[in-house]
Amino acid sequence: MKLAGRSFESRLILGTGGFRSLEAMAEAIRSSGTEMVTVALRRIDPGARGSIVDVLAGCGVALLPNTAGCYTARDAVLTAQLAREAFETDWVKLEVIGDDRNLLPDAPALLEAAEQLVDEGFHVLPYTNDDPILARRLEDVGCAAVMPLGSPIGSGQGILNPYNLRLIVEHAGVPVILDAGVGTASDAALAMEIGCDAVLCASAISRADDPLAMARAIRMAVEAGRLAHEAGRIPRRLYAEASTPDAGIPAF
Amino acid sequence: MNVVLNGRPAELGDEATIADVLAHLGAPERGVAVAVDAEVVPRGEWPRTRLHEGAQVEVVQAVQGG
């Protein structure tokens, strides 16, 4: 997969939120095979134990800073600028949230922030609603990818509107990454079968009973889904179509 | 001088720079960024950027998320 001029073998991007420890996070990263993980920025905590940056460097993965928790374009832009300084990367997972219960994106603010960050030279990967028109607008302002949600962050409800996701995939000229909503492996497989280029997944792995096993399961699901997409599924039919020929059936 | 550091009042020396604040906080070398009055201050300018009375200083670091 090519993303903003960079090649990736793995089509799974891992969110680092929700792991009970940095060790558990590092184990899941290795098990998932991912090459890029999200990180967030918060006020410095002098009592914090261990450095996530050092642990991630040890894992050899690229960092994708997010703007989680931002409710305005201004806050998101400033957070992206801070992330560029902290992580020495122009990449940003842009989140501009419109509601603190469903964490759905604020579409106009998202578009405004995306445009500004693209102008400032960022590779912008926006977490967006599963709206084909908004996805097109985000692509038009220069986003490096679009990342539609399957369902609200951390809800584990999978892909609530496969039809919209299909439309986004069909029309997108940039990579489409399913972001948010994956609850288990089959959700990731479905996203890839629909034609997404990658899946971004955090809670489904980090909050699973066995994150290590789920990281492996979702890794395999992403690979299987991609393969199935490339293989081309058979059309759905209302009635059966015999797989054994009628010719030569003996008469009794 | 009095500033607001990560949302809390803080008293600093009159000549305090951003680098002084980071040393005071015990900030790690990597994965840290600073904004003063909603403007990001590049790392290279920390040693020579003096704060001013009433400055709103935000010091952030990497955490798990997303």
Side-chain angles (χ1 to χ4, degrees):
Chain A
M1 171 182 62
K2 267 211 147 174
L3 205 51
R6 180 173 177 160
S7 293
F8 293 86
E9 291 289 319
S10 169
R11 292 177 179 271
L12 177 58
I13 301 170
L14 194 71
T16 59
F19 287 100
R20 64 182 183 281
S21 68
L22 291 177
E23 292 73 29
M25 178 194 75
E27 285 177 355
I29 286 172
R30 294 193 183 98
S31 182
S32 73
T34 188
E35 292 160 61
M36 184 158 68
V37 303
T38 64
V39 283
L41 283 176
R42 289 292 179 265
R43 283 172 170 170
I44 196 163
D45 172 10
R49 282 179 303 155
S51 159
I52 184 175
V53 177
D54 291 342
V55 172
L56 294 177
C59 293
V61 288
L63 301 185
L64 179 60
N66 71 23
T67 63
C70 292
Y71 282 78
T72 64
R74 176 182 176 271
D75 284 0
V77 167
L78 188 56
T79 301
Q81 292 167 340
L82 282 167
R84 174 150 68 180
E85 190 61 28
F87 304 117
E88 294 167 27
T89 175
D90 291 332
W91 291 50
V92 63
K93 175 188 166 182
L94 178 62
E95 297 181 39
V96 188
I97 301 302
D99 182 284
D100 65 357
R101 284 194 73 201
N102 55 41
L103 299 180
L104 292 174
D106 180 325
L110 179 68
L111 197 58
E112 181 190 340
E115 193 163 14
Q116 191 172 334
L117 289 170
V118 167
D119 285 349
E120 292 183 21
F122 283 86
H123 299 301
V124 180
L125 288 76
Y127 160 64
T128 173
N129 304 78
D130 58 355
D131 174 356
I133 311 306
L134 179 58
R136 191 173 67 203
R137 296 288 300 273
L138 288 163
E139 182 181 338
D140 288 347
V141 300
C143 289
V146 288
M147 305 209 296
L149 55 86
S151 50
I153 293 170
S155 72
Q157 293 188 60
I159 299 169
L160 293 179
N161 196 338
Y163 172 77
N164 272 23
L165 192 59
R166 203 169 297 250
L167 286 185
I168 292 171
V169 165
E170 192 176 314
H171 295 288
V174 292
V176 178
I177 302 168
L178 181 83
D179 183 7
V182 170
T184 187
S186 54
D187 298 329
L190 177 60
M192 297 305 291
E193 287 174 4
I194 285 174
C196 289
D197 295 276
V199 168
L200 196 162
C201 178
S203 304
I205 292 173
S206 66
R207 300 193 210 277
D209 288 342
D210 184 345
L212 210 59
M214 188 59 89
R216 184 153 177 265
I218 290 180
R219 170 190 198 160
M220 293 166 83
V222 167
E223 289 173 10
R226 179 66 189 180
L227 204 55
H229 173 71
E230 289 170 348
R233 62 153 297 145
I234 60 167
R236 291 178 199 276
R237 296 174 194 276
L238 185 56
Y239 295 107
E241 187 180 62
S243 55
T244 306
D246 284 341
I249 296 176
F252 302 106
Chain B
M1 96 183 99
N2 294 294
V3 301
V4 179
L5 177 57
N6 283 350
R8 291 184 176 177
E11 198 172 340
L12 304 173
D14 286 344
E15 307 274 286
T17 64
I18 289 175
D20 294 335
V21 172
L22 291 176
H24 168 71
L25 288 171
E29 287 288 306
R30 296 197 292 174
V32 175
V34 180
V36 177
D37 299 333
E39 293 276 345
V40 178
V41 183
R43 180 174 292 263
E45 294 176 19
W46 293 350
R48 60 173 179 269
T49 303
R50 291 210 177 125
L51 296 169
H52 61 87
E53 180 71 25
Q56 301 275 335
V57 186
E58 292 285 339
V59 182
V60 295
Q61 69 177 3
V63 297
Q64 289 173 234

